[in-house]
Amino acid sequence: MRFPYVRILAAVAVAICLGAGAQAQDKVQREVNVHENVRLLIMAPRADLPPEIRKQYEDFLPLFEEVLKESTTDETDACALTIRVSADMKEVGAAKTQRPLARVSAFRRNSRQEFMATFILYSYLSAGPVNKEETEHFLKKQILDCAICNSGN
């Protein structure tokens, strides 16, 4: 009767080990203080990403940093905001076209929530890299509007 439980525990242990190994590979490439108590952590791209995906991610980072600076203001110490951005890719459509992704997560000090979203770095409107307006729309709607500080209440 205990044999199924052993299998379940072994599967959980393997999943935990694999998850811990994947998280250990994330390395901060650069840390930017955008404003007072607003930090941006830029994660290094994984080594297994294709060079063209890595380049598109690297080209996107200055735009993302600029939009983040324009979209945020100084925060109090209780509302400190940390935003992390990392590279990934997604195969889209029947042709399995590789598109670069930015995985963005945000959390505030003393908060139990973390807000995560993915942003395809390819604009289907212009058939090229995303522009400033698309990036700003993504950042505000998917991250900043969700991560509003409630400590002042």
Side-chain angles (χ1 to χ4, degrees), residues 55-66:
K55 180 176 181 349
Q56 291 171 347
Y57 170 73
E58 295 290 338
D59 292 345
F60 166 75
L61 290 174
L63 173 66
F64 185 77
E65 190 175 334
E66 176 187 343

Side-chain angles (χ1 to χ4, degrees), residues 122-137:
Y122 178 83
S123 173
Y124 290 94
L125 296 174
S126 64
V130 292
N131 60 30
K132 186 175 181 178
E133 291 79 27
E134 292 167 318
T135 304
E136 182 178 18
H137 180 75

